[in-house]
Structure formats: C-alpha cells, structure tokens
Amino acid sequence: MTEWKEFKVHINGEATEAVSNILIELGSAGVSVADRKDFLSLPEYGFDTLWALDEKSFPADGVVIKGYFYGDAASKATKMALIEKIEMLKSFDLDIEKYEVTTEDVVEEEWANAWKKYYHPVPITRYMTIVPQWEDYIKRHDAEKIIYLDPGLAFGTGTHPTTKLCLQALENNLRGGETVLDVGTGSGVLTIASALLGASKIQAFDLDDVAVKSAYDNIKLNNLKTEISVKPNDLLKDIDVKVDMIVANILAEIILLLIPDAFKNLKPGGKFLSSGIIIEKKEEVLASLKNTGFEIQQINQMGDWIAILAIKPEED
C-alpha cells in the first residue's frame, strides 16, 4: 500500500483561499477545508439530509486546510516551502500571526476514499446544486441546474461563502447571451455556473497551470455547449476585450490590483462581481471601485465575507 503525506495547516479562516492555492502550487493532489462555521450553518435551503459531517472533524477556531503529497513532494523541503509561502501572506495584511503546520502519513487506499464521505450534493441556491462527479443525483425540479465537480481537483468546491455569494449573484444577474471573464478561475465552478445560466462566451484565467487544468477537467465533466477558453494569465494583464461581466473570487488585495483592468475590459453597463473580500477590507475595496469610476449596485455578506457587484456606467 502506497503512503502519502498529509500536510495540515491550522490557521485563521481569512487565509483559506490563499493557503489552499499554495498547497496546490506545491504539488498537492487535492485540498480539503474543515471550517466549524460550515458545520454550524445548515444549508440555506433546508436540505440538511444531504450533509454527512462529523463535528469532531472541525476545529474549535480557525480552519484546518489539508493537502496531500506523494514521493519527492512529501518532504521536509516542501513543508519548509509551505511555511515560507504562508509567511509571505503577511505582506498582504492577512491576520495569520498564529498558525500551525503538521504532517502525517496516510495510506493511499484510505485517502482515496476519504474524500467521498465528506462530499455530497449541496444546494447553493433554489435552482443550482453542486454534485460530486461520483454521485448519482436526480434533479428536484426541471429548473434545477447541476454543477458537477471533482473535489480531488478542487481550488474551491462551491461551498465556501465567497463562492456561494458569487454563484447566487450570477444566478440573479445573468439572463443569457452574455460574455464573461472569470479571473482566478480555480476549480472553474463560476465558469460552469455562467455557462449553465446562458452565457454565450466565457474566457477563464488563472495564474497557476494546475488550476487551469483543474478548471478544464471540471468544465469537461459538465458537457457544456457554451464557447469556453481556459488559459494561464496574470489577472487581466494584456487582455483587451469588451465583455458584459467580469467575476473574480480572489483575495481583496488582488482585487484591488485587478479593478483598473476590470473597468477597461467591461462594456458600458457591464458588471464586475468581486468576492473573497474579508469584511475588514470592505471599505478599501469599495473606495477603489468608486475612485476607478464604478457604481456600486449591490453588497452581499455571508459570515465574515463580502461580495460586491459594481457597474461600469453607461456612456452619455
């Protein structure tokens, strides 16, 4: 039986997305996140029978993020690189003064099946449900849209508040035929949702090649008809198009860098949906959006997380 190494990071929840990305960048075969807030919050639309969670698996405070490494990647050097990259996150003003990194050997056969007991169909809205690819799932009604994901590839499985906020906003704003840019696509969940909601053309970007492959594979799982491209790129650097909507579920500090290019690449009347914003960074992001010329249409909150929908004004 092959042994893998589990790298476990116990840290403030504000760093969830960033640490998950770091683990994938270092070569993790997948990422799982245990957050007590997820356990204590019943599904928004009451389908609690779809959850199979053990309270003992959730930390009393913060979050526990796990990555899985094999071979040369499962080394002390990888652990040191992980700690070094986490330390670098402090330059983004994240509250991560206290964190713990531990490792543990895991038998491959046990690890391969361990994913499945934590991932079950999750209703994100009344009309959108995320389903692991191995689950047999029957629609609750004809209008329900199913997003199939492979959590083993995940940069985000749709259940984190930042992603939920984006999915709900997309459902409320896409009417069909729109062109969309998905910046920092990760697992591709927002691209998939946009396609299911009728977007006619989507370009998805991520800085990391592993994320690009993750998104591409998940998009293939869903047999989408929309014209979709997934490419590596540094935010919207050197991108020059005019689209109806741009969506970015990334750190607030990165959103601040993205705002000028988002404004440039939107049509008049186009919408910029940004999420991944911890509540303490809300006013800074709002001020930057307004200073760039955006009008704020909506601010939504789930727990400590904020999503902002902004509009590029129509030309006079």
Side-chain angles (χ1 to χ4, degrees):
M1 291 187 292
T2 304
E3 287 192 349
W4 290 62
K5 184 80 74 174
E6 176 187 85
F7 285 56
K8 182 165 64 175
V9 182
H10 188 179
I11 199 165
N12 189 305
E14 183 179 354
T16 299
E17 299 289 340
V19 173
S20 297
N21 288 349
I22 289 171
L23 286 166
I24 293 291
E25 289 170 5
L26 290 174
S28 175
V31 172
S32 68
V33 180
D35 185 343
R36 177 161 291 271
K37 291 178 182 177
D38 291 340
F39 177 80
L40 296 176
S41 301
L42 290 174
E44 188 172 357
Y45 296 98
F47 301 100
D48 52 301
T49 56
L50 297 174
W51 291 79
L53 302 178
D54 181 357
E55 184 172 3
K56 292 181 292 185
S57 302
F58 292 81
D61 54 24
V63 298
V64 171
I65 308 163
K66 298 179 182 179
Y68 296 88
F69 295 82
Y70 175 71
D72 292 340
S75 65
K76 289 184 179 179
T78 299
K79 182 178 179 180
M80 291 173 62
L82 173 60
I83 293 171
E84 181 179 347
K85 287 178 176 292
I86 292 174
E87 285 292 319
M88 290 173 64
L89 293 177
K90 293 178 180 178
S91 65
F92 291 108
D93 198 28
L94 294 178
D95 181 14
I96 54 170
E97 288 304 317
K98 295 181 180 179
Y99 65 89
E100 182 181 20
V101 177
T102 56
T103 61
E104 183 177 341
D105 290 334
V106 179
V107 177
E108 181 176 15
E109 287 78 2
E110 294 175 355
W111 170 77
N113 291 317
W115 290 104
K116 298 185 179 181
K117 68 181 179 180
Y118 293 113
Y119 289 99
H120 297 269
V122 179
I124 300 300
T125 72
R126 292 191 184 276
Y127 300 101
M128 194 176 300
T129 299
I130 293 177
V131 178
Q133 64 164 335
W134 59 79
E135 289 273 349
D136 292 325
Y137 181 77
I138 299 174
K139 285 187 176 184
R140 293 173 284 120
H141 50 79
D142 290 342
E144 185 178 17
K145 301 182 187 303
I146 308 300
I147 299 175
Y148 291 99
L149 289 182
D150 177 359
L153 299 171
F155 273 70
T157 58
T159 59
H160 191 273
T162 61
T163 315
K164 283 185 177 180
L165 287 166
C166 283
L167 290 168
Q168 291 167 4
L170 286 173
E171 185 179 84
N172 290 331
N173 286 277
L174 291 180
R175 294 294 177 262
E178 294 91 351
T179 50
V180 177
L181 299 181
D182 179 6
V183 184
T185 188
S187 65
V189 63
L190 301 182
T191 286
I192 295 166
S194 298
L196 292 174
L197 291 165
S200 62
K201 183 177 181 179
I202 305 166
Q203 296 180 65
F205 304 108
D206 204 290
L207 185 60
D208 186 73
D209 289 336
V210 177
V212 171
K213 184 181 186 305
S214 171
Y216 177 77
D217 290 344
N218 277 323
I219 289 165
K220 282 179 61 179
L221 282 178
N222 289 269
N223 299 313
L224 300 168
K225 306 300 182 185
T226 300
E227 182 184 343
I228 299 172
S229 67
V230 187
K231 298 178 181 178
N233 203 72
D234 183 2
L235 300 178
L236 290 177
K237 184 178 180 181
D238 298 325
I239 302 298
D240 187 12
V241 294
K242 290 292 184 288
V243 299
D244 299 299
M245 175 168 275
I246 297 174
V247 58
N249 181 23
I250 45 185
L251 286 171
E253 289 77 10
I254 308 302
I255 289 170
L256 291 169
L257 299 175
L258 174 63
I259 288 172
D261 281 339
F263 191 87
K264 181 190 73 173
N265 282 284
L266 281 170
K267 299 175 182 176
K271 298 180 179 181
F272 177 39
L273 172 60
S274 57
S275 188
I277 304 165
I278 198 73
I279 193 167
E280 289 81 3
K281 306 291 175 62
K282 170 185 170 183
E283 295 304 325
E284 185 179 2
V285 175
L286 285 172
S288 180
L289 286 165
K290 293 173 183 175
N291 290 338
T292 304
F294 279 107
E295 296 176 355
I296 308 303
Q297 182 180 31
Q298 198 169 38
I299 302 170
N300 292 319
Q301 181 173 349
M302 187 177 293
D304 294 331
W305 299 97
I306 301 292
I308 301 170
L309 185 66
I311 297 179
K312 180 176 182 176
E314 297 278 1
E315 294 176 345
D316 294 330

